[in-house]
Amino acid sequence: MMFQRDLESLPKDELQALQLRRLQDLCARIYANVPFYQRRFDEIGITPKDIKSLSDIKYLPFTEKQDLRNNYPYGLFAVPKENIVRLHASSGTTGKATVVGYTQRDIDNWANCMARSYASVGLTQKDMLHIAYGYGLFTGGLGAHYGAERLGAVAIPMSGGSTKRQVQLMKDFGATALCCTPSYALYLYEAAKEAGINPQELPLRIGVFGAEPWTENMRHDLEEKLGIKAYNIYGLSEVMGPGVAVECMEGSHGMMHIQEDQFYPEIIDPITGEQLPDGEEGELVLTTLTKEGIPLLRYRTRDITSINNVPCACGRTFRRITRLKGRSDDMLIIRGVNVYPSQIESIIVEAEGTAPHYQIVLAKEGALDTVEVLIEVAENSFDDTIKSLQKREQKIQKTIKEFLGVTTKVRLVEPKSIERTEGKAKHVIDNR
């Protein structure tokens, strides 16, 4: 099912012609209205009129998150504030918040992208969407909400918190879809079990999970525990919010269609910035082709993935990105070895007798990095003997060493001893 079939199934040549027109318009708008971009264009000696083809995008400057912080709060806005109808912002936990503004047209485009995303995973206007992403300055909740209403489905705006009440209302209201982070979905499962509610007896049939990296093993775990089909959705506040890319029912699991009429994707080498061909792994760069409030040119997402251009059975002509491996700035360098938390998670979820709740604690002993991985034991395995638990710890340590080349200390801990969160799970504690 497609929400906007005429756009989602555009022939490749028509799609590329549309992308080029929108790219040329974008360059003209930001050069005329955003001093930051005018300076960047002038510094490299290029003008908007020099963009004659899509391949010319490689000559244009990148935009980075620090550029948004340096121009806080409104320095990158391309329209007067009276044309802005909404603001969102990141938490700013690692510096100044990144502020994004939306015109009414931006909000409409966002709602359409989210409605497309829901339709691509099989949701219709007959569904009831329990939305447990946070509402507020975080883009997750309101993005999911507007998309549900645009689709014609029922939006249940729960936001985060009151987890036990959420489970009861999911049962009472008859929610058929759950929208939240995958880690919070697991938390809701635990809360349901504690409340005496069998999650598999709920009318839930689809989960739309995003806002944090998660593995195929985590997908299988969620599907088994909740009795649903789980799908991955991708987005980031600076570019729009959720709905930038999403899986579909017919395609290969792990690959997400980018909404290419709205966002032009590139893959670059994260070190050199050189553009890479489809199929090669690198950093995803996105250009907002239609955004009016705060259009971004070649925004470096720091997310590591690749672009797949093989036609999809669903009929969408938009290219797909593969499951995100992690973020280039989340990559851990441990004694010279590059490791992503999601790689460790994949091993944990597959290990016997463990729950998918973990923390990676990094520390220093003299000049050397140390890694301790805390993993919750599954409730039905916690009564095992100390000797049995130690054997399992050693087995996981060995698997991590064999597959990732990193020496770790694995410690199995009591069920529910690792802190639960309503948003993104905190998997890494770096004490170095």
Side-chain angles (χ1 to χ4, degrees):
M1 175 181 166
M2 297 188 207
F3 181 70
Q4 293 178 313
R5 179 173 293 275
D6 57 332
L7 291 170
E8 295 176 75
S9 60
L10 270 176
K12 187 176 180 180
D13 58 341
E14 291 183 33
L15 174 60
Q16 290 179 337
L18 176 65
Q19 289 173 322
L20 177 58
R21 287 197 305 273
R22 288 180 167 177
L23 175 62
Q24 291 168 330
D25 175 67
L26 167 74
C27 290
R29 285 189 290 117
I30 60 176
Y31 188 82
N33 298 308
V34 185
F36 166 80
Y37 280 118
Q38 188 179 83
R39 286 195 303 271
R40 297 295 300 278
F41 273 60
D42 291 346
E43 284 167 5
I44 60 178
I46 200 167
T47 71
K49 291 181 179 178
D50 294 325
I51 306 305
K52 307 292 186 184
S53 69
L54 284 174
S55 63
D56 289 338
I57 196 170
K58 64 179 177 286
Y59 302 119
L60 296 172
F62 292 113
T63 310
E64 305 201 29
K65 180 172 275 196
Q66 192 58 45
D67 294 324
L68 278 81
R69 291 179 176 144
N70 292 345
N71 288 278
Y72 174 90
Y74 306 128
L76 293 186
F77 282 31
V79 298
K81 283 203 288 291
E82 53 265 33
N83 292 2
I84 297 291
V85 299
R86 191 193 302 169
L87 292 179
H88 280 288
S90 71
S91 61
T93 52
T94 56
K96 281 185 178 177
T98 54
V99 179
V100 287
Y102 300 76
T103 65
Q104 186 57 58
R105 185 176 175 227
D106 292 336
I107 296 292
D108 288 341
N109 284 335
W110 187 10
N112 285 331
C113 285
M114 279 302 299
R116 289 179 190 177
S117 300
Y118 290 141
S120 74
V121 301
L123 294 173
T124 72
Q125 61 185 37
K126 295 179 181 178
D127 281 291
M128 303 186 71
L129 279 63
H130 183 101
I131 301 169
Y133 288 115
Y135 280 64
L137 287 178
F138 172 63
T139 53
L142 283 168
H145 183 107
Y146 273 64
E149 291 184 342
R150 181 62 53 89
L151 182 67
V154 176
I156 305 172
M158 283 304 305
S159 191
S162 306
T163 304
K164 289 181 180 177
R165 182 167 179 261
Q166 289 214 31
V167 171
Q168 187 62 52
L169 291 181
M170 285 167 70
K171 180 181 178 183
D172 295 346
F173 292 172
T176 58
L178 173 61
C179 307
C180 61
T181 62
S183 53
Y184 192 58
L186 286 171
Y187 191 12
L188 287 168
Y189 166 80
E190 292 175 349
K193 298 289 281 185
E194 285 177 8
I197 295 171
N198 183 350
Q200 299 207 351
E201 291 178 358
L202 296 173
L204 278 181
R205 63 187 192 90
I206 288 174
V208 184
F209 304 128
E212 62 187 17
W214 52 299
T215 62
E216 280 300 309
N217 290 332
M218 178 77 86
R219 186 205 302 275
H220 298 321
D221 194 47
L222 284 163
E223 290 184 336
E224 184 179 327
K225 286 178 173 174
L226 295 172
I228 60 172
K229 289 292 291 180
Y231 293 96
N232 199 3
I233 191 168
Y234 171 75
L236 55 168
S237 297
E238 299 89 343
V239 170
M240 182 183 72
V244 172
V246 70
E247 291 178 329
C248 67
M249 293 186 293
E250 292 86 354
S252 303
H253 267 349
M255 287 202 277
M256 297 179 283
H257 290 277
I258 289 256
Q259 312 283 5
E260 279 201 272
D261 61 327
Q262 304 287 326
F263 311 100
Y264 187 77
E266 301 171 75
I267 299 294
I268 64 165
D269 182 310
I271 306 298
T272 66
E274 179 188 354
Q275 197 179 69
L276 300 175
D278 287 359
E280 288 199 26
E281 183 177 275
E283 179 185 336
L284 177 65
V285 170
L286 293 171
T287 294
T288 61
L289 295 174
T290 61
K291 196 117 180 259
E292 294 178 334
I294 181 168
L296 296 180
L297 182 64
R298 305 192 79 197
Y299 183 73
R300 297 190 59 164
T301 70
R302 303 296 176 181
D303 290 316
I304 303 299
T305 184
S306 61
I307 292 177
N308 183 294
N309 60 15
V310 176
C312 182
C314 73
R316 290 173 178 83
T317 52
F318 297 159
R319 288 175 295 170
R320 292 171 289 171
I321 53 171
T322 56
R323 177 177 284 280
L324 303 180
K325 186 174 182 179
R327 291 176 55 84
S328 61
D329 49 3
D330 282 349
M331 183 178 72
L332 309 174
I333 302 176
I334 302 163
R335 300 191 187 185
V337 180
N338 298 344
V339 179
Y340 292 96
S342 60
Q343 293 175 305
I344 294 177
E345 178 184 296
S346 187
I347 292 170
I348 291 169
V349 175
E350 217 166 69
E352 182 185 350
T354 61
H357 300 286
Y358 68 96
Q359 280 187 333
I360 302 165
V361 182
L362 307 173
K364 280 272 191 191
E365 278 186 11
L368 294 177
D369 295 329
T370 64
V371 186
E372 184 176 38
V373 184
L374 309 180
I375 309 167
E376 284 189 14
V377 177
E379 293 198 36
N380 57 2
S381 301
F382 191 62
D383 292 333
D384 290 359
T385 63
I386 291 176
K387 189 174 181 181
S388 171
L389 291 172
Q390 287 175 337
K391 266 182 99 171
R392 269 192 277 152
E393 288 173 342
Q394 290 164 3
K395 185 176 179 182
I396 297 170
Q397 282 176 192
K398 185 180 177 186
T399 305
I400 292 173
K401 177 67 174 175
E402 285 177 352
F403 282 90
L404 303 181
V406 173
T407 300
T408 61
K409 178 183 178 184
V410 171
R411 184 153 57 93
L412 296 175
V413 298
E414 292 182 31
K416 299 178 186 172
S417 60
I418 291 175
E419 182 184 2
R420 306 295 192 259
T421 60
E422 295 162 8
K424 300 181 184 183
K426 185 172 178 59
H427 288 310
V428 179
I429 299 172
D430 196 339
N431 296 323
R432 290 178 292 182

